[in-house]
Amino acid sequence: MKSYREELWFQTKERREFLNITPQVERVLQQSGIQEGFVLVNAMHITASVYINDDEAGLLQDYEQFLERLVPQAGTYRHNLTGEDNGDAHIKRQIMGREVVVAITNGRLDFGPWEQIFYAEFDGRRRKRVLVKVIGE
Amino acid sequence: MKSYREELWFQTKERREFLNITPQVERVLQQSGIQEGFVLVNAMHITASVYINDDEAGLLQDYEQFLERLVPQAGTYRHNLTGEDNGDAHIKRQIMGREVVVAITNGRLDFGPWEQIFYAEFDGRRRKRVLVKVIGE
Amino acid sequence: MKSYREELWFQTKERREFLNITPQVERVLQQSGIQEGFVLVNAMHITASVYINDDEAGLLQDYEQFLERLVPQAGTYRHNLTGEDNGDAHIKRQIMGREVVVAITNGRLDFGPWEQIFYAEFDGRRRKRVLVKVIGE
């Protein structure tokens, strides 16, 4: 069994942003040389998500609006009594998820027609990391 | 390390449906011949989920009602300005999740007493796929 | 490829509780002797979650409050017509997730600075299990 690991760094301009990171993950997969196995892609920070869905601008706004309606940034959170202001971001990240596991087949991400990997930032404007770990043969 | 892959195809009669796909995943696992490892089961489409919970008819109605109350099909979604009518389905799928990873032990799904694998369709009535990828030995 | 498996047992005093189980998972990982690979940690019961986020007391109360507001224990659930009283717990668990997959690098959980593994119980006060399965080399 082979394994390979790389970190991707991001710094968004806005507090909340959605970034399509599929090309970066594909590049890591090529680097790994692994043909059959799994790749794990996870946020290493706890106020951001990695998820898979469509790269359509309207949909990204729908996600933003849905999450902000359900868990408003300006809501009341006990976590913010610690001096933080990102209580909402910890909850938004749980709804969208921490990680994806993607099958690797013939050296490629084994995807359906519209699957794209996104990094969803809910408390950005600082350098944060995503882990890409590949295992297989 | 061995690996094995199969696609399962589904076409639901209703727009939204919950299908217990545990027997199909078990069959793929037997085909793989893998005794120890992981199986990844994921929707290959972005308006459907794969998740694990109980196969109880009332619960499936509770999920349907909860999701429809939170993200109504008839709501306003920017995604639908593209001509699609499934903005709600993209959000429902995020809440229920894309994938499950299940341990394989002694050639079996390593499950607790009530765990069952479900395919949750939120925009059905057409042929859609689930990927089953097994790695191990 | 090596694999290793252990079950962790929990019995909470309250119906709903959040337990940081990172030390137990690290101990299993040491037992496994695996240096590079993946560890899967999943609830084996369908009214509990395993998730990764911050170990901060206020945040845990925020999660509890958010989930109870969205899916009240005293709400009306068809599942409860079976004689159960945990319809809410099955939905709460879906929002928080069933499982995490964590990369193993140099024999350690490959974590960002604040990542901690939690067992979230939504219908406790009885013995329930978490599966830890490690694969790699």
Side-chain angles (χ1 to χ4, degrees), chain A residues 39-53:
Chain A
V39 54
L40 168 71
V41 188
N42 70 263
M44 298 185 78
H45 298 257
I46 53 196
T47 50
S49 292
V50 171
Y51 74 90
I52 287 174
N53 214 299

Side-chain angles (χ1 to χ4, degrees), chain C residues 8 10 33 39 47 53 57 74 80 92 99 110 115 120 123 126:
Chain C
L8 308 173
F10 302 99
V39 54
T47 50
N53 214 299
N80 292 354
K92 284 165 173 149
E99 79 211 14
D110 196 335
E115 290 188 282
D123 182 28
R126 49 196 173 100

Side-chain angles (χ1 to χ4, degrees), chain A:
Chain A
M1 200 203 74
K2 292 169 65 174
S3 67
Y4 184 79
R5 163 194 204 282
E6 220 174 283
E7 291 175 5
L8 308 174
W9 287 84
F10 301 99
Q11 175 157 0
T12 60
K13 283 181 193 159
E14 306 298 327
R15 181 182 173 95
R16 289 190 292 277
E17 251 177 66
F18 295 86
L19 307 176
N20 184 339
I21 63 171
T22 317
Q24 289 98 312
V25 175
E26 276 174 343
R27 187 188 49 69
V28 174
L29 177 54
Q30 296 314 310
Q31 282 290 327
S32 77
I34 288 171
Q35 296 293 307
E36 296 291 326
F38 286 171
V39 54
L40 168 71
V41 188
N42 70 263
M44 298 185 78
H45 298 257
I46 53 196
T47 50
S49 292
V50 171
Y51 74 90
I52 287 174
N53 214 299
D54 197 2
D55 192 354
E56 195 279 306
L59 178 63
L60 301 181
Q61 290 180 280
D62 290 333
Y63 283 141
E64 158 65 17
Q65 212 159 72
F66 166 71
L67 292 167
E68 183 60 15
R69 174 168 60 79
L70 197 60
V71 191
Q73 182 186 334
T76 301
Y77 304 98
R78 283 173 202 259
H79 181 59
N80 292 354
L81 299 176
T82 63
E84 297 278 356
D85 70 347
N86 60 8
D88 68 306
H90 287 273
I91 301 178
K92 283 166 172 148
R93 119 72 173 257
Q94 287 309 118
I95 296 166
M96 294 298 277
R98 167 189 180 255
E99 79 211 14
V100 296
V101 176
V102 181
I104 305 161
T105 303
N106 296 324
R108 306 292 302 275
L109 299 172
D110 196 335
F111 266 165
W114 300 101
E115 290 188 281
Q116 297 286 316
I117 306 174
F118 276 83
Y119 175 69
E121 177 62 84
F122 302 116
D123 182 28
R125 295 178 295 201
R126 50 197 173 99
R127 278 166 57 74
K128 291 168 77 174
R129 282 177 290 163
V130 165
L131 177 62
V132 185
K133 178 100 182 185
V134 195
I135 69 170
E137 266 178 7

Side-chain angles (χ1 to χ4, degrees), chain B residues 36 38 51-54 56 58-59 61-63 69 95 100-101 103-105 110 112-115 137, chain C residues 1 3 5 38 40 43-44 46 70 77-79 82 90-91 93-95 98-99 129 131 133 135:
Chain B
E36 297 291 326
F38 286 171
Y51 74 90
I52 287 175
N53 214 299
D54 197 3
E56 195 279 304
L59 178 63
Q61 289 181 281
D62 291 334
Y63 282 141
R69 174 169 59 82
I95 296 166
V100 296
V101 176
I104 305 161
T105 303
D110 196 336
W114 301 101
E115 291 188 281
E137 264 178 8
Chain C
M1 201 204 73
S3 67
R5 161 194 206 283
F38 286 171
L40 168 71
M44 298 184 78
I46 52 195
L70 197 60
Y77 304 98
R78 282 173 202 260
H79 181 59
T82 62
H90 287 274
I91 300 178
R93 120 71 174 257
Q94 286 311 117
I95 295 166
R98 167 189 180 256
E99 79 211 14
R129 282 177 291 164
L131 177 64
K133 178 100 182 186
I135 69 170

Side-chain angles (χ1 to χ4, degrees), chain B residues 2 6 19 23 32 54 59 67 70 73-74 79-80 103 107 113 126 128:
Chain B
K2 291 169 66 175
E6 220 173 282
L19 307 175
S32 77
D54 197 3
L59 178 63
L67 292 167
L70 197 61
Q73 181 185 334
H79 182 59
N80 292 354
R126 50 196 173 100
K128 292 168 76 173

Side-chain angles (χ1 to χ4, degrees), chain B residues 1-4 29-38 104-108 134-137:
Chain B
M1 201 203 75
K2 291 169 66 175
S3 68
Y4 184 78
L29 178 53
Q30 296 314 311
Q31 282 289 328
S32 77
I34 287 171
Q35 296 293 307
E36 297 291 326
F38 286 171
I104 305 161
T105 303
N106 296 325
R108 305 292 302 275
V134 195
I135 69 170
E137 264 178 8

Side-chain angles (χ1 to χ4, degrees), chain B residues 16-116:
Chain B
R16 289 191 291 278
E17 252 178 64
F18 295 86
L19 307 175
N20 185 339
I21 63 171
T22 317
Q24 289 97 315
V25 176
E26 278 175 341
R27 188 188 49 71
V28 174
L29 178 53
Q30 296 314 311
Q31 282 289 328
S32 77
I34 287 171
Q35 296 293 307
E36 297 291 326
F38 286 171
V39 54
L40 168 71
V41 188
N42 69 263
M44 299 186 77
H45 297 258
I46 54 196
T47 50
S49 291
V50 171
Y51 74 90
I52 287 175
N53 214 299
D54 197 3
D55 191 354
E56 195 279 304
L59 178 63
L60 301 181
Q61 289 181 281
D62 291 334
Y63 282 141
E64 158 65 15
Q65 211 159 71
F66 166 71
L67 292 167
E68 183 61 14
R69 174 169 59 82
L70 197 61
V71 192
Q73 181 185 334
T76 301
Y77 303 98
R78 282 173 202 259
H79 182 59
N80 292 354
L81 299 176
T82 62
E84 297 278 356
D85 70 347
N86 59 9
D88 68 306
H90 287 274
I91 301 179
K92 284 166 172 148
R93 120 72 174 255
Q94 286 311 115
I95 296 166
M96 294 298 275
R98 168 188 180 257
E99 79 212 14
V100 296
V101 176
V102 181
I104 305 161
T105 303
N106 296 325
R108 305 292 302 275
L109 299 172
D110 196 336
F111 266 164
W114 301 101
E115 291 188 281
Q116 297 286 316

